[in-house]
């Protein structure tokens, strides 16, 4: 039995009150297999990650870099089905008290049925969805479903977004706004794009919101840097690579190193 759902906004606020930033970790469900992906997600929580993004593998991951592409391709080849994401969320929530968001491209949600997907996610103990390929003005059905169920809805903002688009994104998002730090695909980089700092400032100027920065963060020092101006740092490719190269133990070690950066970022 899962414990009552904890929203990501609540966890971010708790961390802020405790004087630290928030670390959000991404892993695809079903890589290298469903059971191991659940164990890996639990390991992230036990190693200091504050909230999870469980990725729904997709055959055309236009936003994802090579490490995540390879992992999702392996998950699909291994027999991943959409219903497995709900199994994973429920299993993780039964073992650790941590907000679990699902990150998914929109087509699988449409194919499953927007209301049916929302209900299944709530029943599994999920906190909400991150939807990288839809904008608030094209998401009426999802906004209605998330209002009905109370699920968080996280939309993306990019450095190229207009001020009007940023305002719409802030107003429509619940939980946090996902600030894309670079113009491109995901993947670890030596330096987090300086555009991220400007984007966060622009988002703050148009309305109150939690803002978490993702894409290109791969070290504890980068987590500390990002949390100097944002509410959360999102890490994906570096964690997927750690899991691929070192298994769950290697992943846990990488997560602990990243979490030390969150602790160092005093709020």
């Amino acid at each position: 039995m899962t414990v009552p759902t904890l929203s990501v906004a609540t966890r971010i606020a708790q961390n802020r009150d405790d004087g630290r930033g928030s670390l959000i970790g991404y892993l695809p469900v079903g890589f290298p297999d469903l059971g191991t992906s659940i164990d890996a997600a639990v390991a992230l929580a036990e190693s200091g990650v504050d909230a999870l993004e469980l990725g729904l593998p997709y055959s055309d991951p236009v936003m994802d870099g090579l490490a995540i592409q390879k992992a999702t391709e392996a998950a699909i080849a291994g027999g991943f089905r959409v219903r497995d994401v709900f199994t994973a969320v429920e299993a993780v929530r039964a073992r650790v008290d941590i907000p679990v968001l699902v990150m998914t491209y929109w087509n699988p949600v449409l194919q499953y049925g927007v209301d049916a997907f929302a209900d299944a996610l709530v029943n599994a103990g999920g906190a909400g969805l991150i939807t990288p390929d839809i904008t608030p003005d094209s998401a009426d059905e999802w906004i209605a479903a998330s209002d009905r169920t109370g699920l968080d809805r996280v939309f993306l903002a990019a450095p190229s977004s207009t001020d009007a688009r940023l305002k719409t994104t802030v107003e429509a998002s619940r939980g946090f706004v996902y600030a894309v730090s670079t113009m491109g695909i995901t993947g670890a980089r030596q330096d987090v794009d300086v555009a991220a700092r400007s984007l966060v400032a622009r988002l703050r100027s148009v309305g109150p919101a939690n803002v978490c920065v993702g894409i290109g963060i791969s070290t504890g020092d980068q987590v500390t840097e990002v949390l100097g101006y944002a509410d959360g740092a999102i890490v994906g490719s570096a964690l997927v690579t750690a899991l691929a190269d070192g298994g769950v133990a290697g992943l846990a070690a990488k997560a602990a190193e990243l979490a030390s950066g969150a602790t160092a970022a005093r709020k």
Side-chain angles (χ1 to χ4, degrees):
M1 179 68 67
T2 56
V3 298
T5 299
L6 176 67
S7 75
V8 68
T10 298
R11 177 54 54 85
I12 290 171
Q14 289 172 343
N15 287 347
R16 187 183 297 115
D17 290 344
D18 290 341
R20 66 181 297 269
S22 295
L23 175 63
I24 300 171
Y26 166 92
L27 287 174
V29 175
F31 174 75
D33 56 70
L34 181 58
T36 304
S37 70
I38 292 168
D39 290 340
V42 171
L44 289 187
E46 293 176 341
S47 300
V49 171
D50 298 296
L52 297 174
E53 294 180 14
L54 295 187
L56 196 157
Y58 188 55
S59 59
D60 186 25
V62 294
M63 180 182 161
D64 297 320
L66 186 59
I68 294 175
Q69 286 183 31
K70 287 183 175 180
T72 57
E73 287 168 1
I76 291 170
F80 171 83
R81 297 293 182 268
V82 171
R83 63 179 178 270
D84 292 336
V85 77
F86 308 119
T87 299
V89 170
E90 185 170 14
V92 171
R93 293 284 294 129
R95 293 169 62 182
V96 289
D97 186 16
I98 188 171
V100 180
L101 296 157
V102 170
M103 186 166 190
T104 179
Y105 294 97
W106 190 238
N107 191 56
V109 180
L110 281 178
Q111 294 297 318
Y112 197 90
V114 177
D115 282 316
F117 196 104
D119 289 340
L121 185 56
V122 167
N123 290 336
L129 287 183
I130 301 170
T131 50
D133 61 341
I134 60 168
T135 58
D137 51 6
S138 62
D140 287 351
E141 193 173 1
W142 164 231
I143 289 172
S146 55
D147 280 344
R148 177 178 61 81
T149 56
L151 289 167
D152 285 340
R153 49 177 183 258
V154 177
F155 293 105
L156 273 63
S160 60
S161 300
T162 65
D163 289 345
R165 171 68 67 187
L166 294 184
K167 186 174 189 299
T168 299
T169 301
V170 167
E171 290 173 346
S173 294
R174 186 163 59 216
F176 64 89
V177 177
Y178 191 129
V180 179
S181 65
T182 61
M183 296 298 292
I185 59 175
T186 61
R189 291 169 173 81
Q190 290 298 311
D191 296 301
V192 177
D193 197 325
V194 294
R197 190 181 296 268
S198 174
L199 177 56
V200 171
R202 291 176 63 208
L203 285 162
R204 302 246 197 251
S205 73
V206 299
N210 291 320
V211 182
C212 300
V213 172
I215 302 185
I217 303 170
S218 60
T219 69
D221 286 344
Q222 288 178 336
V223 169
T224 302
E225 176 190 349
V226 167
L227 292 179
Y229 58 88
D231 300 290
I234 302 167
V235 181
S237 293
L239 293 172
V240 174
T241 298
L243 177 60
D245 292 345
V248 174
L251 172 70
K254 182 62 178 178
E257 185 252 321
L258 293 163
S260 69
T263 302
R266 311 307 298 180
K267 304 303 285 182

